[in-house]
């Protein structure tokens, strides 16, 4: 059972929720995109629904709220260290179904892997998710094949209508609206994507590691790493120690999100480097998204949001790459 609210009643409802929660949602930054005449849609704290942008796909995902591009873990001196105060408050994050599925992947790595990451958990415990229904797909979406097109595992569901809003409250800690008509609620979701992805069920690593299908990426990929930074399920990071100029014995340690596609990611002590060729990096990324992660946890890492395709300056299409991999596997691992 859900509720149908007009615009005025919905704004009033959000104002009441704002007494208990901060809101995070995609926001459009005009003329701040990669080119002078393009916009940039990123996640930021907002005060009202009017500040949110839902008519286009966000360039970056809701992951950025929980895993900032750089995050101070602690301050240090010669004799002690101090964890910074967590300034995040209880929050509602508005996002699409694919991005909620992506949070599950991030949780898997940072909470349910070998160790629990205390910095991530501190933020994660403070957020609840509002899934905004999708009435139509965006360019390069292939969420249906990755089974991330639908989710009702939310604190609140929200359908946007021309004459108002439909909401569904599942979390008992979130107040229900005081106004509005009761309705039967089903979250909007895409049932078919125009982009089709054939995901291999099982990949034998020793048979694909040197396959010719990766060769084109030695020259096509420019190792910019943009695909990793916009991906809602990429979780790799590096550590940086920042020493202050006025006292080189005092500083802070930062977690900085990293990319497996860029030069230097696999550099090791002694001058050793792994995956120096960009084709090897592409193979590593693709297999991690559709094979390695699934071997460990039982489901694909990729959620089919298509952001990597949207941002790639060389027009490398992830869906096409996975389809090539699947054809190779189904063809008996025979190289041309």
């Amino acid at each position: 059972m859900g509720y149908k609210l007009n615009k005025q009643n919905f704004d009033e409802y959000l104002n009441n929720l704002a007494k208990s929660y901060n809101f995070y949602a995609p926001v459009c930054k005009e003329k701040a995109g990669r080119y002078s005449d393009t916009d940039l849609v990123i996640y930021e704290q907002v005060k009202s629904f009017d500040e949110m942008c839902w008519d286009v796909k966000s360039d970056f995902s809701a992951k950025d709220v929980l895993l900032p591009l750089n995050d101070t873990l602690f301050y240090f001196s010669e004799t002690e260290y101090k964890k910074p105060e967590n300034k995040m408050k209880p929050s509602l994050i508005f996002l699409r179904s694919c991005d909620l599925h992506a949070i599950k992947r991030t949780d898997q790595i940072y909470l349910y892997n070998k160790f629990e990451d205390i910095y991530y958990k501190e933020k994660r415990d403070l957020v609840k998710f509002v899934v905004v229904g999708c009435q139509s797909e965006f360019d390069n979406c292939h969420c249906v094949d990755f089974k991330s097109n639908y989710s009702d595992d939310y604190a609140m569901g929200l359908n946007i209508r021309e004459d108002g809003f439909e909401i569904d409250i599942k979390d008992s800690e979130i107040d229900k609206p005081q106004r509005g008509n009761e309705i039967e609620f089903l979250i909007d979701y895409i049932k078919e994507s125009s982009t089709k992805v054939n995901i291999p069920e099982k990949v034998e690593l020793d048979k694909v590691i040197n396959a010719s299908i990766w060769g084109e990426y030695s020259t096509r990929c420019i190792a910019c790493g943009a695909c990793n930074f916009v991906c809602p399920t990429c979780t790799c990071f590096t550590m940086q120690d920042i020493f202050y100029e006025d006292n080189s014995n005092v500083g802070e340690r930062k977690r900085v999100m990293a990319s497996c596609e860029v030069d230097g990611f696999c550099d090791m002590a002694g001058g050793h480097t792994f995956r120096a060729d960009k084709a090897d990096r592409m193979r590593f990324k693709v297999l991690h998204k559709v094979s390695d992660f699934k071997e460990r946890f039982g489901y694909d890492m990729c959620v089919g949001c298509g952001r990597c395709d949207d941002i790639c300056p060389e027009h490398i299409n992830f869906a096409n790459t996975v389809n090539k991999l699947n054809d190779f596997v189904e063809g008996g691992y025979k190289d041309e």
Side-chain angles (χ1 to χ4, degrees):
M1 185 66 68
Y3 301 88
K4 179 67 178 288
L5 285 74
N6 61 32
K7 178 68 165 56
Q8 180 179 348
N9 289 342
F10 185 68
D11 287 342
E12 181 182 296
Y13 177 57
L14 288 186
N15 285 336
N16 288 332
L17 289 181
K19 299 173 184 176
S20 303
Y21 299 97
N22 288 337
F23 302 146
Y24 290 89
V27 174
C28 181
K29 302 291 186 178
E30 292 187 8
K31 310 303 182 185
R34 287 181 290 167
Y35 307 104
S36 60
D37 61 343
T38 58
D39 300 332
L40 177 69
V41 182
I42 60 175
Y43 266 76
E44 284 191 350
Q45 187 175 340
V46 299
K47 298 293 185 182
S48 68
F49 183 83
D50 289 336
E51 297 178 58
M52 305 181 193
C53 178
W54 296 111
D55 56 345
V56 296
K57 186 196 307 180
S58 65
D59 295 290
F60 290 82
S61 75
K63 179 189 73 174
D64 291 354
V65 179
L66 298 172
L67 288 175
L69 288 178
N70 67 83
D71 197 16
T72 299
L73 302 185
F74 58 83
Y75 301 96
F76 60 83
S77 66
E78 293 179 272
T79 58
E80 61 183 4
Y81 70 92
K82 179 182 179 182
K83 187 174 174 293
E85 177 186 355
N86 180 25
K87 296 181 180 180
M88 191 169 184
K89 306 299 182 185
S91 302
L92 295 178
I93 300 179
F94 291 72
L95 75 181
R96 301 288 190 180
S97 172
C98 61
D99 280 347
L100 182 58
H101 280 271
I103 295 293
K104 175 183 176 182
R105 276 76 173 158
T106 309
D107 287 350
Q108 188 75 65
I109 295 299
Y110 280 87
L111 298 181
Y112 310 124
N113 206 353
K114 292 183 178 180
F115 305 100
E116 181 181 84
D117 187 288
I118 61 172
Y119 301 98
Y120 178 82
K121 187 176 190 304
E122 189 175 51
K123 295 184 179 72
R124 183 65 174 82
D125 286 345
L126 291 170
V127 303
K128 302 177 187 291
F129 299 103
V130 180
V131 170
V132 179
C134 291
Q135 292 181 301
S136 60
E137 66 175 342
F138 297 108
D139 289 343
N140 295 318
C141 286
H142 38 276
C143 56
V144 175
D145 291 320
F146 281 98
K147 299 179 176 61
S148 68
N149 55 316
Y150 173 82
S151 177
D152 60 2
D153 186 22
Y154 48 69
M156 181 192 302
L158 173 64
N159 289 329
I160 303 172
R161 299 286 181 253
E162 289 186 4
D163 60 344
F165 303 86
E166 297 175 354
I167 66 172
D168 178 36
I169 312 296
K170 287 196 170 186
D171 192 305
S172 60
E173 295 182 351
I174 297 179
D175 293 334
K176 292 179 169 57
Q178 298 299 310
R179 303 186 186 184
N181 300 318
E182 290 191 354
I183 58 169
E184 292 293 327
F185 182 91
L186 177 64
I187 194 76
D188 293 336
Y189 66 100
I190 305 301
K191 299 176 178 63
E192 186 173 359
S193 298
S194 55
T195 300
K196 303 296 182 183
V197 188
N198 298 310
I199 308 164
E201 282 295 321
K202 176 76 174 178
V203 177
E204 296 181 42
L205 180 60
D206 60 328
K207 294 182 179 180
V208 300
I209 193 168
N210 294 314
S212 63
I213 57 174
W214 312 115
E216 66 178 283
Y217 303 109
S218 290
T219 54
R220 286 190 65 192
C221 178
I222 61 173
C224 67
C227 55
N228 293 128
F229 291 118
V230 299
C231 176
T233 66
C234 280
T235 56
C236 290
F237 61 85
T238 60
M239 291 293 190
Q240 289 185 1
D241 285 346
I242 309 298
F243 297 93
Y244 300 151
E245 289 186 358
D246 55 346
N247 185 345
S248 60
N249 294 317
V250 178
E252 57 190 88
R253 175 163 293 180
K254 287 180 172 289
R255 168 157 55 200
V256 182
M257 304 312 294
S259 166
C260 61
E261 299 297 294
V262 302
D263 294 334
F265 180 81
C266 291
D267 288 353
M268 299 182 66
H272 301 290
T273 298
F274 295 91
R275 297 194 294 274
D277 193 296
K278 293 187 284 290
D280 294 334
R281 300 175 197 174
M282 178 62 68
R283 182 200 66 229
F284 175 80
K285 182 183 76 171
V286 172
L287 292 179
H288 193 42
K289 298 294 184 184
V290 300
S291 178
D292 303 341
F293 187 91
K294 184 164 58 178
E295 283 286 324
R296 292 182 63 191
F297 304 118
Y299 55 94
D300 292 306
M301 191 178 194
C302 180
V303 295
C305 70
R307 289 186 177 95
C308 55
D309 300 342
D310 298 335
I311 202 168
C312 180
E314 296 300 308
H315 306 289
I316 295 173
N317 187 286
F318 184 79
N320 288 345
T321 306
V322 175
N323 285 335
K324 290 177 184 178
L325 172 64
N326 185 70
D327 291 343
F328 181 68
V329 172
E330 289 195 343
Y333 300 94
K334 294 180 181 179
D335 251 328
E336 297 179 356

